């Protein structure tokens, strides 16, 4: 067991380091930088200094890209750069908890992310709650009456909802419920709303969240709902279900004791994706409703070439992805006895 | 038909040089065919050219006519372009993206999955010489791709030479697989590492960064990126299927008869694998269309002057009164994705949410 955990952790760290390198390399290769967006502004000396300082360092501990590659036979030019490279610098800074400063406004990345996280959490936590609660209710009701009209219609409509493009749903909701031409019920954009904490957003500005949460919940709901329903259905085909019914258990109790554990396995698989989804899942919705969350920050930083922010977000989301997978595996180990007895 | 001349303007795009029509159009009527006295003509059902810009008739609601009396059934959007013909144009593009990306993903999945699964059982060891050649090939390809990305004016000719070398090394490695110094090479473990890495990659972010890497991404380039990110799903599926298949008797007897690995994969594994992988590709098709339209909607996908379903909606973001420019293209995207999902659902025997579908969404 310890060996297995150690192996998983080690591979996660190795992959994370690899992604660090990939991220730095991509930023090296992507053309253009922040200055292009401030070309007409004269006062950007600090930014250019920062940029050139960063670019002058080599990428990794060693390199083999020759300085002049324009000859037809460019042989690799092996060089050892030592510790003065961007990869090492990034790791040592991150190790000390220093995530750098944004090129755009020279603020600490940690501060920006913490500020944006309040909005993202305010949006994603209720969305997550509604997705899980509603899909459990739907799956439960569907499994209680299999092959009825209710089952058939819910199933079909869930499949249709699953195909809804989130960005389209969000735009349509915004046009029809938040513009003066139609029903002007909700505020269209959360632009310029000042909120210190997630609680404040929930208590003072819930109207700003209603449409975004709805446009996140509706397409995701169908996926989890059908996943759980499928789990329940599979449990029904098992012998333990037949036995439970045969000894006189009623349908609800059987569903709770026999079906629910069975449906938990795919649910945990889904749960693994929740952690990274918390950070970047609302990218489209945040952009449409101008919610100053992490998804919007991500898109802005990538398009504006604000590399410290992008790097921090990329590595954060990569770490969250791996952590989610680890956690799901660990939970599965406790819930599913088959994984405990499995031998490799 | 004009003055006894037959012109196929949809095919030829322009009147033939030296014809009467060309002279009259350029001289008399100010470039509009409709004002000329033609004998007969068949006009296309869609009046408007999707790319034509009419600044005076911007954001017209559905069913309205412009100053020339042309009707726009679904209205116009940004720069006065027609929504209906744009939808047809974008639909074509969306289908191409789905098709190309899934072709790429299937190509990878159907070669890597069964070949490495076969190798893990029947060819666990290859010659160290062949392994070294393959290693050199991989490192060399990585090196040349790196060069090409660092130096944008790096010649395409050089990349072709590199590809030729890579293929030559691959073939040499394949021919030398039975040579001396047989070492185990753990094909299945390599595949698992690949899947593990790709599972941990935040694919949306990588897609966003990849799109920034190429200045004006083409349709093929975009499909390649989406296909590359969807490939692990297909590989995972084919690996799982192939591992089960390898244990079956017909493969064992084929090995016993003395067929080569390539032959076994081609004629004994592919027929069943293609059948089993189709639903995964159907879901992937929907995902690819969705990904492309989402990115174009955010203004990151195809260049903005290219008409796609997403970029039509992108224009309407700054003009929220134009519900028609959002509703109709979005309905088309919805319709494509729904069709793909239903098709995949039908193929999997009414089990939409199998592992592959779950995987594709989680990533």
């Amino acid at each position: 067991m310890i060996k297995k955990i150690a192996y998983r952790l080690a591979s996660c760290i190795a992959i994370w380091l690899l992604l660090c390198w990939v991220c730095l390399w991509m930023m090296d290769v992507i053309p253009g930088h922040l200055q292009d967006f401030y070309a007409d502004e004269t006062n950007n000396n600090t930014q250019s200094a920062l940029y050139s300082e960063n670019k002058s360092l080599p990428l990794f501990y060693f390199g083999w890209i020759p300085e002049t590659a324009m000859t037809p036979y460019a042989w690799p030019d092996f060089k050892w750069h030592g510790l003065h490279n961007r990869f090492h610098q990034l790791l040592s800074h991150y190790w000390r908890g220093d995530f750098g400063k944004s090129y755009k406004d020279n603020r600490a990345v940690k501060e920006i992310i913490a500020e944006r996280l309040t909005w993202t959490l305010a949006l994603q936590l209720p969305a997550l709650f509604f997705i899980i609660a509603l899909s459990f209710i739907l799956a439960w009701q569907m499994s209680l009456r299999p092959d009825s009209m209710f089952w058939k219609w819910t199933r079909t409509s869930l499949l249709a909802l699953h195909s809804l493009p989130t960005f389209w749903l969000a735009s349509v909701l915004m046009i029809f419920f938040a513009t003066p031409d139609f029903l002007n019920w909700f505020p269209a954009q959360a632009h310029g709303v000042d909120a210190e904490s997630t609680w404040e957003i929930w208590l003072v500005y819930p109207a700003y969240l209603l449409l975004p949460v709805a446009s996140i919940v509706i397409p995701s709901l169908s996926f989890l709902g059908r996943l759980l329903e499928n789990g329940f259905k599979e449990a029904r085909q098992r012998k333990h279900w037949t036995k439970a019914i045969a000894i006189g258990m009623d349908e609800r109790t059987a569903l709770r004791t026999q079906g629910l554990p069975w449906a938990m396995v795919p649910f945990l698989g889904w749960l693994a994706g929740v952690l990274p989804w918390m950070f970047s899942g609302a990218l489209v919705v945040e952009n449409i409703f101008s919610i100053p969350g992490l998804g919007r920050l991500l898109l802005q930083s990538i398009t504006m070439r604000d590399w410290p922010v992008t790097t921090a977000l990329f590595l954060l989301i990569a770490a969250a992805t791996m952590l989610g997978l680890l956690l799901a595996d660990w939970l599965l180990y406790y819930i599913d006895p088959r994984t405990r007895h499995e031998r490799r | 038909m004009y003055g006894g001349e037959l012109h196929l303007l949809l095919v030829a795009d322009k009147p033939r040089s030296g014809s009467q029509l060309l002279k009259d159009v350029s001289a008399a009527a100010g470039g509009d065919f409709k004002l000329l006295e033609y004998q007969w003509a068949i006009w296309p059902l869609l009046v408007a050219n999707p790319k034509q810009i009419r600044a005076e008739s911007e954001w017209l609601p559905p069913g309205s006519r412009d100053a020339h009396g042309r009707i726009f059934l679904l209205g116009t959007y940004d720069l006065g372009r027609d929504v209906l013909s744009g939808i047809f144009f974008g639909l074509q593009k969306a289908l191409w993206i789905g098709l190309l990306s899934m072709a790429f993903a299937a190509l990878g999945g159907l070669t890597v999955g069964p070949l490495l699964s076969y190798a893990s059982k029947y060819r666990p060891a290859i010659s160290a010489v062949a392994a070294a050649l393959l290693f050199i090939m991989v490192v060399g390809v990585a090196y040349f791709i790196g060069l090409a990305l660092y130096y944008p004016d790096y010649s395409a000719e050089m990349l072709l030479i590199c590809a030729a070398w890579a293929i030559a090394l691959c073939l040499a490695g394949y021919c030398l697989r039975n040579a001396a110094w047989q070492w185990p090479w753990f094909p299945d473990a390599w595949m698992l590492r690949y899947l593990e890495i790709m599972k941990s990659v935040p694919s949306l972010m990588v897609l966003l960064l990849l799109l920034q890497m190429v200045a004006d991404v083409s349709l093929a380039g975009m499909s390649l990126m989406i296909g590359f990110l969807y490939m692990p799903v297909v590989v995972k599926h084919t690996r799982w299927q192939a591992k089960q298949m390898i244990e079956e008797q017909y493969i064992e007897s084929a090995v016993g008869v003395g067929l080569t690995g390539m032959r076994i994969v081609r004629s004994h594994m592919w027929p069943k694998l293609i059948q089993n992988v189709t639903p995964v590709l159907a879901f992937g098709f929907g995902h690819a269309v969705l990904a492309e339209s989402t990115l174009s909607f955010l203004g990151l996908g195809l260049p903005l002057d290219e008409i796609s379903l997403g970029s039509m909606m992108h224009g309407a973001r700054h003009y929220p009164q134009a519900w028609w420019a959002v509703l109709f293209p979005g309905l088309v995207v919805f319709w494509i994705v729904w069709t793909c999902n239903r098709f995949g659902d039908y193929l999997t025997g009414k089990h939409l949410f199998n592992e592959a579908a779950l995987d594709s969404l989680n990533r």
Side-chain angles (χ1 to χ4, degrees):
Chain A
M1 181 64 197
I2 290 171
K3 202 175 154 193
K4 212 171 170 181
I5 290 176
Y7 169 77
R8 282 300 301 270
L9 270 177
S11 73
C12 275
I13 291 170
I15 292 173
W16 192 81
L17 289 177
L18 181 72
L19 289 179
C20 267
W21 182 82
V22 168
C23 185
L24 283 176
W25 175 76
M26 277 178 148
M27 273 150 212
D28 217 31
V29 171
I30 292 173
H33 51 86
L34 188 88
Q35 277 181 336
D36 303 346
F37 295 89
Y38 294 106
D40 38 347
E41 288 180 30
T42 45
N43 189 12
N44 55 6
N45 292 331
T46 54
Q47 280 147 8
S48 69
L50 244 172
Y51 191 82
S52 56
E53 180 194 55
N54 203 359
K55 269 269 181 176
S56 65
L57 280 179
L59 181 68
F60 199 56
Y61 295 103
F62 56 85
W64 56 7
I65 300 285
E67 294 290 334
T68 49
M70 291 308 103
T71 52
Y73 296 99
W75 291 104
D77 176 17
F78 283 99
K79 273 176 299 215
W80 177 256
H81 298 307
L83 296 184
H84 286 284
N85 60 66
R86 264 176 279 162
F87 185 78
H88 187 83
Q89 260 197 354
L90 182 87
L91 287 188
S92 57
H93 277 87
Y94 275 33
W95 181 253
R96 278 182 260 131
D98 171 21
F99 294 88
K101 281 181 178 173
S102 161
Y103 288 162
K104 197 176 138 206
D105 44 12
N106 227 6
R107 282 173 63 206
V109 173
K110 224 180 350 185
E111 204 180 295
I112 299 176
I113 289 183
E115 188 187 296
R116 298 296 186 103
L117 197 62
T118 54
W119 274 98
T120 298
L121 285 183
L123 182 64
Q124 296 284 73
L125 284 178
L128 185 64
F129 171 75
F130 282 118
I131 290 170
I132 293 178
L134 287 177
S135 43
F136 257 101
I137 292 170
L138 270 180
W140 187 267
Q141 293 300 333
M142 278 166 83
S143 316
L144 279 180
R145 354 178 147 60
D147 299 321
S148 66
M149 274 315 261
F150 169 77
W151 180 85
K152 216 168 151 185
W153 278 102
T154 323
R155 217 183 123 82
T156 315
S157 48
L158 282 184
L159 185 60
L161 289 183
H162 178 53
S163 323
L164 269 183
T166 310
F167 70 97
W168 178 63
L169 183 69
S171 311
V172 167
L173 283 179
M174 192 173 93
I175 287 173
F176 287 107
F177 291 103
T179 48
D181 291 10
F182 295 95
L183 304 169
N184 199 3
W185 290 352
F186 302 103
Q189 305 213 314
H191 208 68
V193 178
D194 266 336
E196 289 288 310
S197 69
T198 306
W199 289 108
E200 192 188 334
I201 299 167
W202 283 342
L203 294 175
V204 186
Y205 310 107
Y208 286 97
L209 291 181
L210 221 120
L211 290 182
V213 166
S215 45
I216 293 173
V217 167
I218 292 170
S220 324
L221 170 72
S222 57
F223 185 77
L224 186 59
R226 288 192 51 155
L227 191 74
L228 291 171
E229 199 263 325
N230 226 36
F232 285 137
K233 201 167 103 189
E234 261 175 45
R236 276 174 181 277
Q237 292 157 356
R238 299 275 146 179
K239 280 181 183 158
H240 57 81
W241 177 275
T242 320
K243 190 193 166 197
I245 298 294
I247 62 171
M249 211 180 261
D250 72 337
E251 195 98 328
R252 277 162 195 279
T253 324
L255 211 54
R256 199 180 67 240
T257 56
Q258 312 295 321
L260 203 58
W262 197 267
M264 278 326 255
V265 177
F267 176 66
L268 283 178
W270 179 83
L271 217 56
V274 161
L275 209 58
W277 174 84
M278 285 301 276
F279 296 120
S280 66
L283 188 136
V284 176
V285 172
E286 279 177 5
N287 271 291
I288 291 171
F289 290 99
S290 298
I291 293 170
L294 283 180
R296 199 169 155 75
L297 178 70
L298 177 64
L299 201 66
Q300 279 171 348
S301 68
I302 288 181
T303 47
M304 293 194 76
R305 314 284 193 262
D306 193 356
W307 295 140
V309 180
T310 314
T311 317
L313 281 174
F314 185 93
L315 295 176
L316 180 75
I317 292 168
T321 314
M322 279 180 274
L323 204 66
L325 288 172
L326 272 182
L327 278 179
D329 269 10
W330 181 70
L331 280 174
L332 199 66
Y333 182 81
Y334 278 98
I335 286 182
D336 192 353
R338 286 173 304 180
T339 51
R340 256 171 289 169
H341 302 307
E342 174 184 282
R343 286 222 184 102
R344 294 184 70 154
Chain B
M1 186 68 91
Y2 179 79
E5 294 172 343
L6 182 66
H7 292 276
L8 298 170
L9 292 177
L10 269 182
V11 183
D13 206 34
K14 240 194 246 172
R16 277 189 301 277
S17 58
S19 66
Q20 191 62 38
L21 179 64
L22 186 67
K23 280 181 210 156
D24 290 357
V25 163
S26 48
D32 198 347
F33 294 113
K34 274 189 170 181
L35 302 178
L36 293 173
E37 291 268 324
Y38 49 84
Q39 281 153 346
W40 55 266
I42 301 172
W43 293 102
L45 285 174
L46 297 176
V47 189
N49 173 359
K51 285 184 174 171
Q52 195 182 339
I53 291 169
R54 305 173 199 80
E56 74 286 354
S57 52
E58 216 173 341
W59 305 115
L60 288 180
S64 56
R65 287 172 184 276
D66 70 351
H68 301 291
R70 273 176 299 210
I71 187 160
F72 297 102
L73 281 178
L74 297 182
T76 60
Y77 64 107
D78 211 4
L79 301 175
R81 288 173 289 183
D82 182 39
V83 172
L84 182 60
S85 50
I87 283 178
F88 279 96
F89 210 73
L91 182 66
Q92 182 192 0
K93 215 159 258 182
L95 293 180
W96 266 116
I97 286 210
L99 210 65
L100 282 178
S101 58
M102 284 310 109
F104 181 62
L107 190 77
L110 284 175
T111 48
V112 170
L115 272 176
L116 291 192
S117 303
Y118 171 84
S120 70
K121 185 166 179 193
Y122 290 112
R123 188 166 281 285
I126 55 168
S127 168
V129 182
L133 285 180
L134 285 178
F135 181 73
I136 293 172
M137 194 271 290
V138 170
V139 170
V141 165
Y143 172 65
F144 277 103
I145 290 176
L147 272 190
L149 283 169
Y150 268 98
Y151 301 102
D153 46 349
Y154 198 72
S155 68
E157 189 189 329
M158 202 55 214
L159 282 177
L160 274 182
I161 295 174
C162 157
W165 267 104
I167 292 168
L169 282 173
C170 247
L171 280 178
Y174 183 72
C175 294
L176 287 172
R177 68 199 187 278
N178 288 331
W181 303 309
Q182 293 280 320
W183 283 359
W185 67 301
F186 313 111
D188 198 46
W190 285 105
M191 198 154 48
L192 275 178
R193 288 300 91 76
Y194 161 73
L195 290 176
E196 217 169 89
I197 292 172
M198 291 304 281
K199 209 175 176 182
S200 319
V201 165
S203 49
L204 181 73
M205 281 206 70
V206 170
L207 192 58
L208 290 181
L209 285 172
L210 278 178
L211 282 171
Q212 303 291 319
M213 226 184 244
V214 191
D216 275 330
V217 67
S218 64
L219 191 135
M222 183 128 178
S223 328
L224 212 66
M225 289 171 192
I226 297 175
F228 170 72
L229 289 171
Y230 195 73
M231 205 192 279
V233 180
V234 185
V235 170
K236 189 184 170 192
H237 202 79
T238 48
R239 174 185 170 266
W240 179 60
Q241 294 275 351
K243 281 207 103 59
Q244 287 178 337
M245 224 182 272
I246 282 289
E247 301 300 327
E248 289 194 30
Q249 282 190 345
Y250 65 93
I251 302 279
E252 271 173 27
S253 48
V255 173
V257 164
L259 298 188
T260 60
M262 285 292 195
R263 172 84 189 268
I264 289 170
V265 167
R266 198 182 67 223
S267 53
H268 294 261
M269 293 170 83
W270 271 359
K272 199 176 166 191
L273 268 183
I274 290 172
Q275 207 176 351
N276 285 330
V277 96
T278 316
V280 184
L281 295 178
F283 292 128
F285 194 101
H287 277 295
V289 172
L290 207 57
E292 186 274 326
S293 53
T294 306
L295 290 168
S296 302
F297 175 76
L298 293 173
L300 294 171
L302 298 172
L304 276 180
D305 50 328
E306 292 234 15
I307 295 167
S308 78
L309 293 171
S311 66
M312 288 170 75
M313 290 180 256
H314 174 77
R317 283 181 71 187
H318 309 294
Y319 194 77
Q321 289 90 332
W323 53 270
W324 56 89
V326 173
L327 193 70
F328 299 121
L331 273 177
V332 175
V333 175
F334 168 64
W335 174 69
I336 301 175
V337 180
W338 193 26
T339 312
C340 291
N341 283 351
R342 279 178 63 183
F343 184 57
D345 197 29
Y346 168 74
L347 286 175
T348 36
K350 316 290 179 201
H351 281 283
L352 171 58
F353 299 113
N354 55 10
E355 209 150 315
L358 173 69
D359 218 60
S360 68
L361 212 86
N362 263 346
R363 288 176 58 260

